[in-house]
Amino acid sequence: MAVVKADLGTVRFAFQPLYSLRDGKVVAVETLARPRAGSITDLLRSARGQVQLAELDLALATKSVHTAAEQDANLPLHVNLLATTAVRPVREFQPLLRALSDSGRRTRDVVLEICPPFGRIPPDTLLRGMHALAEQGFRIAVDGVGEGDVPMRVLAQAPADTIKIDRRIIAGLPDDPCAMALTESLVHLAKRNDAHPVAVGVETEAQLEAARGLGIRLAQGELLAKARFELSTAPSMSPVTPARGKQHPVAFGPTQAPRVRDFLRPAHTLPAEATADEVREVFVAEGGPTGVVLVDEHDRPRWSIDRNRFLLAVTGPYGHALHASKEAARLADPPHVIGIEATAMQLLDLVTNAAWSRTGDNVIVIDARGRCVGMVRVTEVVRGVAETKIEHAAALNPLTRLPGSDVVARDVDGRIAARRAFATAWLDVDGFKTVNDTAGFAAGDDLLRDLGRTLSSATTGLRTVTIGHVGGDDFLLVSDLEELPIVASAVLDRQWMVERLPVTVSLATLVCAVGAVNSYREVARLLAPLKTHAKAVRGSSWVLGRPGSDRVDVLRGRPHRLPAQRVS
């Protein structure tokens, strides 16, 4: 251990903030070990050679907590930990736990960033180690994703709150198609696992905008703020400009509504038995929070204290004498809580159904075990939901109230990036100009509305279908292979009439296996000859083709004698 102590004495710690791309504010800080000579990699390599790697790694983590305490860091702390250390017995983490206790932090205030290399550790061993740390209350992040050697099974099954996308991947945005596709896939994987994707090493505005467009809401890098040894300056740096204009979340199926986790902020917690004086010290500190959560020994919220109401009580006549040394819970309210998996609309329902008059208060966000993981402000959720609805409404076709081609394009490109098989279909009305010329434009509009309603109704309960009205009488559908026939039957089994005039429709489908197509533009090009083929089939028709195949299957209708059209 003498060698570890000697090495430790050469290390200082810098702090780099993580920013929310939703509101431009600092949500956490990462501690970065900086030896006075050489690099941290050299230091760890030397310790590995002396079989003291885990000891040094844990000592660095412990020292980073003490250093943050000296800097009065109140934000959640990201602490780096090698994967080989993460699998060590929990008893070896006692110095780190004591450092947290000494600095007044709880394990839920700390995110352990598990770093490469991962390859030397059996996946099951690594998962057990991560789960053991999560059982201690630590939040878990997986670092170096995209360039590191973390097994995909570990990434999918780890109890991770955060997935940090490596700076070398982010450096390729937005010009490198492979980097774009990989980032989009990782964002989708993270969100499916209820984790926050983080863009690491953002250095240019182009990278920042590309990350936003791919659905990333947390980022760090020199464009936003450099790592500094003085933490006190980091949170007050000019924050990144919040996102403006339309956002493009990665989604499969209809556009997803905002979720509670999209508005999550750090919660300042104190023990349930904290005194009013202890709470007051938190509130009057520079940049103090708008509320404090009093938690029990398991980090479960017991009371919520609003800053304004609390300070009015303790600063009024005799307020200090009445309350200072007594439990702050006397001035607290029962907490309003919501699960981290909830949608923003469910949160608004909670507020409405509770007949809650103090809508400016914070709502405490809890995990599956009831532990406090952060808070959200009702006013921010209301604004976010309103903005989403406005953006959604602006993108809808005014006739059918279905989204346009942009939504379908994002869905298709997202499935391609995620390497998922899917089907895309193009539906239109045969001889729609004749319908308008014969029955009138109003009747034609009624037909399109009816088609839109039929498509929407058919997709009720289906999880993978996206419908778009892309103009005129043209509709596009995207779905997993097993759900498309349900929608197709709803349209093709019906006898369509306009002013007693029979009307037929044509459906052209392209079945895309994994790797068969590279972009939405390519899909649109391949659908065009299939649509021509469908139009040449008598009655309401459905034809199906595949990229690279000459074969076109007629699933509905009576085909004319037409040569097969290559779909390549």
Side-chain angles (χ1 to χ4, degrees), residues 20 22 27 139 160-163 190-197 217-218 257-265 338-344 347 365-367 373 375-376 381:
S20 165
R22 178 175 289 277
V27 297
R139 293 157 63 192
D161 295 283
T162 306
I163 302 296
K191 292 189 174 182
R192 281 290 180 94
N193 290 347
D194 296 317
H196 293 289
R217 296 292 175 264
L218 294 173
R259 303 177 65 188
V260 164
R261 67 168 53 250
D262 293 330
F263 303 91
L264 192 65
R265 290 174 171 270
I338 194 164
I340 195 168
E341 310 303 331
T343 66
L347 183 142
V365 183
I366 58 175
D367 63 13
V373 294
M375 48 75 65
V376 294
V381 177

Side-chain angles (χ1 to χ4, degrees), residues 120-154:
R120 302 188 184 96
I121 311 167
D124 289 336
T125 302
L126 184 55
L127 286 169
R128 281 195 298 271
M130 290 184 179
H131 279 285
L133 292 173
E135 287 290 331
Q136 293 295 310
F138 289 108
R139 293 157 63 192
I140 304 297
V142 182
D143 201 3
V145 176
E147 279 286 339
D149 57 347
V150 58
M152 291 303 294
R153 181 165 73 87
V154 170

Side-chain angles (χ1 to χ4, degrees), residues 348-415:
L348 297 183
D349 286 342
L350 166 71
V351 175
T352 303
N353 294 336
W356 184 15
S357 60
R358 297 192 300 269
T359 55
D361 284 10
N362 300 326
V363 177
I364 313 306
V365 183
I366 58 175
D367 63 13
R369 298 183 180 181
R371 300 177 298 190
C372 175
V373 294
M375 48 75 65
V376 294
R377 295 175 182 167
V378 176
T379 52
E380 290 182 356
V381 177
V382 171
R383 183 166 57 250
V385 171
E387 289 173 353
T388 300
K389 286 184 175 294
I390 290 170
E391 292 167 1
H392 180 65
L396 298 181
N397 185 288
L399 189 64
T400 59
R401 311 303 295 166
L402 290 174
S405 58
D406 284 351
V407 170
V408 178
R410 289 200 301 273
D411 190 355
V412 169
D413 286 338
R415 293 172 193 259

Side-chain angles (χ1 to χ4, degrees), residues 373 435 460 481 526:
V373 294
V435 172
T460 302
L481 306 183
L526 297 179

Side-chain angles (χ1 to χ4, degrees), residues 153-175:
R153 181 165 73 87
V154 170
L155 194 59
Q157 297 178 4
D161 295 283
T162 306
I163 302 296
K164 301 194 75 174
I165 302 174
D166 192 89
R167 64 179 60 249
R168 286 163 288 189
I169 303 301
I170 300 302
L173 305 183
D175 299 324

Side-chain angles (χ1 to χ4, degrees), residues 460-543:
T460 302
L462 302 182
R463 296 177 56 86
T464 71
V465 182
T466 296
I467 306 170
H469 185 180
V470 297
D473 61 322
D474 292 313
F475 296 82
L476 283 178
L477 297 84
V478 189
S479 78
D480 284 359
L481 306 183
E482 64 271 15
E483 291 190 343
L484 182 63
I486 300 172
V487 185
S489 296
V491 176
L492 299 172
D493 289 348
R494 178 172 171 178
Q495 177 60 58
W496 297 94
M497 302 286 290
V498 176
E499 301 291 337
R500 298 185 180 180
L501 175 69
V503 174
T504 59
V505 295
S506 297
L507 184 67
T509 298
L510 185 72
V511 176
C512 302
V514 173
V517 290
N518 296 314
S519 68
Y520 169 73
R521 184 176 294 275
E522 183 181 359
V523 169
R525 178 177 62 80
L526 297 179
L527 271 173
L530 288 173
K531 179 185 176 184
T532 301
H533 199 113
K535 288 289 192 183
V537 176
R538 297 189 185 100
S540 288
S541 62
W542 183 11
V543 304

